[in-house]
């Protein structure tokens, strides 16, 4: 997960003292001042401290984007509690796996009905907006009954993020270890300073629109950007293109991080509708997590201006690797990033031989925060991690100046609307159906979301299994966003020379004519 320097990230405690009445967060008609934010977080932290929690303990955080999340995560920061991000869209089985795998001592959730969690052994359960019960703690009571004794937390959140699993199970990425040597400290500082300056952030007080989920690394990161200057974070959830334009105009938003799907949805509006809104306040518009096509770049320049759009490239296992400015993007069409200071990128073949400029191979990255092992798992093997370089599963090349171009995906992964989906998770569930002999899931192009999952299924002999049967079967086992949008029943699947399903052959026919095969 990306990390900001202490100098870049201001704390709510600092601004609660300096500008107590300034608006920190806006959500719909509700506003939260820095003073109220800090007071509520202090009260909640002091109440939680009585429940046998100590620094370094982990608690699950299953939240939609809202003001309560800001208070809760700050309370945990004050206690030194590590936050385990749990996607609120996951099914109970998926969420339980993350809680147990991470060793979380409990969970905070804003589920509309948290009672089903009482059937499971998850430890401490803290709810929001619920009736009184002896079976769980209520956020409202923790805040109301807590003492106002000041507490102070680190500016940077400690978080455990979970990636989708290549083997059918998600894997936990722990918080990075602190540097141990002077050389490591110097590299970390150079890396963080580079991240803090690229993309360029607005000078002065920032008004940041946050439309990213808080169970993904980018959401919590962006929640700190406005706070760094005592500014305001304007929440937009769920995402709506017209509401995004309205909020930008109303609050004079000057910075926004959006996945390409969000920008595509605004682009799908008529030019007359878009022109009705004043978006001239936007100074920095950051995108990433999915490919940004040349047509979308051209549209952003026309609507928001030529010096606004920044594209970033990174991954949970290494952090943000690089970024490319608007001018660089124009000079180098198709380029994905200029590598940050303190980070390195090499292009390698399957035997880790480094390839020359312009030759396509697998992208391997080295940053101060490259993952060594997932939670509860052994150290990564040499096939993935070697000499500090992590194989990303993306294919691409470097030009003579060291700019990175991504061309394809080697790793068996789908990115839909900026969300990573691993086919192995879907295949594991589909294949567990008694009438399925084997299956293969691939990503195929979809205009709005970039990609969507498609499943090839071989039925057992004599079966009358249908698409509706499979949709019903996986409904309670997989989060909705992981469901295949298309099913195709076949009698056989292409195999490679070692007898594995050849997904390249399955995918290629759908990606012909596209700029990039991802």
């Amino acid at each position: 997960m990306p990390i900001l320097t202490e100098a870049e990230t201001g704390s709510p405690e600092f601004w609660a003292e300096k500008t107590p009445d300034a608006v920190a967060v806006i959500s719909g008609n509700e506003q939260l001042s820095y003073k109220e934010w800090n007071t509520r977080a202090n009260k909640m932290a002091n109440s939680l401290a009585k429940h046998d929690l100590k620094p370094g303990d982990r608690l699950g955080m299953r939240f939609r984007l809202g003001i309560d999340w800001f208070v809760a995560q700050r309370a945990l920061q004050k206690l030194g509690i590590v936050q385990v991000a749990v996607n609120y869209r996951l099914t109970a089985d998926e969420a339980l796996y993350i809680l147990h795998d991470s060793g979380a001592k409990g969970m905070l959730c804003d589920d509309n009905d948290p009672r089903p969690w009482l059937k499971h052994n998850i430890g401490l359960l803290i709810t929001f907006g619920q009736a009184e019960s002896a079976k769980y703690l209520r956020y409202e009571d923790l805040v109301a009954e807590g003492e106002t004794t000041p507490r102070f937390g680190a500016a940077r959140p400690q978080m455990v993020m979970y990636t989708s699993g290549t083997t059918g199970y998600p894997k936990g990425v722990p918080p990075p270890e602190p540097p141990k040597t002077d050389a490591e400290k110097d590299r970390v500082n150079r890396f963080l300073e580079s991240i803090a300056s690229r993309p360029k952030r607005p000078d002065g007080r920032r008004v940041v629109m946050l439309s990213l989920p808080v169970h993904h690394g980018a959401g919590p990161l962006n929640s700190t950007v406005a706070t760094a200057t005592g500014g305001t974070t304007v929440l937009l959830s769920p995402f709506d293109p017209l509401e995004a334009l309205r909020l930008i105009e109303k609050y004079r938003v000057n910075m926004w991080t959006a996945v390409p799907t969000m920008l595509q949805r605004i682009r799908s509006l008529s030019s007359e509708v878009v022109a009705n809104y004043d978006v001239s306040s936007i100074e920095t518009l950051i995108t990433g997590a999915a490919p940004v096509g040349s047509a979308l770049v051209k549209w952003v320049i026309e609507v928001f201006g030529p010096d606004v759009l920044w594209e970033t490239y990174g991954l949970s296992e290494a952090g943000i690797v690089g970024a490319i400015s608007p001018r660089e993007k124009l000079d180098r069409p198709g380029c994905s990033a200029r590598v940050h200071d303190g980070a390195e990128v090499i292009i390698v073949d399957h035997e880790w031989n480094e390839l020359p400029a312009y030759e396509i191979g697998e992208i391997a990255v080295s940053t101060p925060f490259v993952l060594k092992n997932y939670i509860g798992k052994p150290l990564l093997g040499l096939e993935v991690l070697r000499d500090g370089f992590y194989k990303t599963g993306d294919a691409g090349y470097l030009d003579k100046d060291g700019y990175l171009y991504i061309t394809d995906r080697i790793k068996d992964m789908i990115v839909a609307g900026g969300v990573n989906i691993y086919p192995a998770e879907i295949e594991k569930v589909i294949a567990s159906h008694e009438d399925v002999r084997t299956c293969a899931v691939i990503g195929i192009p979809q205009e709005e979301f970039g990609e969507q999952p498609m499943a090839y299924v071989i039925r057992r002999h004599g079966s009358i299994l249908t698409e509706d049967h499979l949709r019903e079967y996986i409904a309670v086992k997989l989060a909705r966003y992981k469901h295949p949008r298309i099913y195709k029943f076949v009698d056989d699947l292409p195999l490679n020379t070692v007898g594995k399903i050849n997904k390249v052959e399955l995918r290629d026919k759908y990606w012909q004519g596209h700029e990039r095969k991802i």
Side-chain angles (χ1 to χ4, degrees):
M1 188 187 81
I3 299 178
L4 296 178
T5 62
E6 295 288 345
E8 173 65 16
T9 307
S11 69
E13 291 89 348
F14 174 82
W15 297 110
E17 181 70 25
K18 186 173 182 180
T19 56
D21 297 325
V23 177
V25 187
I26 296 173
S27 179
N29 295 323
E30 187 179 3
Q31 297 187 357
L32 184 71
S33 71
Y34 277 98
K35 179 180 179 180
E36 185 60 24
W37 184 7
N38 188 46
T39 299
R40 290 187 199 176
N42 278 331
K43 289 183 173 183
M44 184 175 183
N46 287 318
S47 291
L48 282 177
K50 301 174 183 178
H51 290 274
D52 193 30
L53 293 172
K54 60 183 182 301
D57 284 346
R58 296 170 180 169
L59 283 176
M61 292 280 280
R62 179 179 163 98
F63 275 83
R64 296 171 177 82
L65 184 59
I67 281 179
D68 290 337
W69 176 83
F70 279 77
V71 176
Q73 65 89 16
R74 194 63 206 165
L76 298 193
Q77 279 296 99
K78 290 172 181 282
L79 292 172
I81 302 297
V82 178
Q83 304 169 45
V84 179
V86 180
N87 187 342
Y88 70 87
R89 297 164 68 186
L90 296 180
T91 65
D93 287 350
E94 293 170 306
L96 283 169
Y97 176 86
I98 289 175
L99 293 174
H100 293 156
D101 183 70
S102 67
K105 288 193 170 183
M107 181 174 70
L108 295 79
C109 73
D110 65 354
D111 289 25
N112 294 329
D113 182 6
R115 289 174 297 178
W117 295 109
L118 299 175
K119 302 175 184 177
H120 306 283
N121 179 25
I122 65 169
L124 196 66
L125 178 62
I126 301 169
T127 69
F128 292 74
Q130 300 299 318
E132 291 186 10
S133 171
K135 296 182 179 180
Y136 49 71
L137 298 177
R138 299 196 316 151
Y139 161 80
E140 294 81 4
D141 296 334
L142 294 173
V143 171
E145 298 168 4
E147 299 174 356
T148 58
T149 305
R151 287 180 177 266
F152 301 89
R156 300 195 298 263
Q158 291 191 82
M159 300 194 71
V160 171
M161 311 301 300
Y162 268 76
T163 67
S164 294
T166 56
T167 58
Y169 294 101
K171 298 170 293 185
V173 179
E177 298 177 358
K180 297 180 177 62
T181 67
D182 288 342
E184 288 177 350
K185 291 177 183 177
D186 175 69
R187 187 186 183 194
V188 167
N189 287 336
R190 288 188 292 112
F191 184 61
L192 297 177
E193 287 172 3
S194 185
I195 289 176
S197 62
R198 293 176 53 85
K200 183 183 182 301
R201 298 184 173 105
D203 296 327
R205 190 173 184 274
R206 298 172 193 148
V207 181
V208 177
M209 185 161 70
L210 179 57
S211 55
L212 299 174
V214 291
H215 58 257
H216 185 279
L221 169 67
N222 279 277
S223 72
T224 68
V225 174
T227 309
T229 63
T232 300
T233 302
V234 181
L235 308 186
L236 173 57
S237 180
F239 180 79
D240 177 85
L242 281 175
E243 183 67 1
L245 295 171
R246 189 187 73 83
L247 292 177
I248 291 171
E249 179 180 81
K250 180 176 181 179
Y251 296 109
R252 305 300 295 161
V253 171
N254 55 22
M255 184 173 178
W256 180 30
T257 299
V259 295
T261 297
M262 295 175 180
L263 300 176
Q264 289 283 19
R265 290 186 62 186
I266 296 178
R267 183 186 174 204
S268 68
L269 300 172
S270 70
S271 56
E272 292 80 9
V273 168
V274 175
N276 285 333
Y277 295 89
D278 180 3
V279 297
S280 61
S281 60
I282 291 286
E283 299 178 38
T284 304
L285 178 56
I286 304 170
T287 192
V292 185
S294 57
L296 182 60
V297 171
K298 181 180 179 181
W299 174 84
V300 170
I301 290 172
E302 291 173 352
V303 173
F304 292 94
D307 299 314
V308 170
L309 183 67
W310 288 75
E311 185 177 349
T312 62
Y313 174 65
L315 56 156
S316 299
E317 291 84 354
I320 298 297
V321 177
I324 185 166
S325 71
R327 294 296 177 182
E328 290 169 321
K329 190 78 172 177
L330 289 174
D331 293 339
R332 291 174 166 82
C335 183
S336 297
R338 175 155 68 87
V339 180
H340 282 309
D341 188 18
E344 294 181 74
V345 170
I346 57 175
I347 307 300
V348 298
D349 63 18
H350 65 282
E351 294 180 345
W352 279 96
N353 296 309
E354 188 170 350
L355 301 177
Y358 299 104
E359 189 167 338
I360 294 175
E362 183 164 4
I363 299 168
V365 303
S366 174
T367 74
F369 304 123
V370 163
L371 178 77
K372 295 180 176 63
N373 63 284
Y374 295 100
I375 289 175
K377 305 295 187 294
L379 293 174
L380 295 176
L382 292 176
E383 71 279 2
V384 178
L385 183 65
R386 183 173 296 191
D387 298 328
F389 282 88
Y390 177 87
K391 279 190 174 182
T392 65
D394 291 325
Y397 64 90
L398 293 168
D399 68 14
K400 62 182 178 59
D401 298 316
Y403 283 80
L404 177 64
Y405 295 72
I406 303 171
T407 60
D408 202 347
R409 183 173 297 120
I410 297 171
K411 187 181 291 184
D412 190 12
M413 186 175 72
I414 300 166
V415 179
V419 178
N420 293 348
I421 302 170
Y422 276 87
E425 283 191 275
I426 308 169
E427 291 165 350
K428 180 182 176 67
V429 173
I430 294 175
S432 68
H433 193 288
E434 61 182 6
D435 287 331
V436 173
R437 192 177 74 181
T438 191
C439 66
V441 174
I442 62 170
I444 63 174
Q446 202 278 339
E447 183 175 0
E448 182 177 342
F449 292 96
E451 286 186 272
Q452 63 182 1
M454 173 184 178
Y456 284 88
V457 179
I458 299 179
R459 290 177 281 218
R460 294 196 184 278
H461 181 70
S463 168
I464 57 171
L465 182 69
T466 67
E467 181 176 322
D468 288 341
H469 291 150
L470 283 176
R471 292 191 185 281
E472 182 179 356
Y473 180 73
I474 72 171
V476 297
K477 300 177 183 295
L478 282 175
R480 173 66 182 147
Y481 68 89
K482 300 176 185 178
H483 292 192
R485 300 303 188 262
I486 299 172
Y487 287 84
K488 186 173 183 178
F489 292 95
V490 295
D491 295 327
D492 54 56
L493 289 167
L495 303 178
N496 61 22
T497 55
V498 296
K500 293 185 177 181
I501 296 172
N502 188 341
K503 291 190 176 181
V504 173
E505 183 177 330
L506 292 176
R507 292 177 73 247
D508 276 355
K509 62 182 178 181
Y510 293 99
W511 289 92
Q512 292 177 8
H514 289 261
E515 290 183 32
R516 288 158 59 169
K517 295 182 178 180
I518 51 176

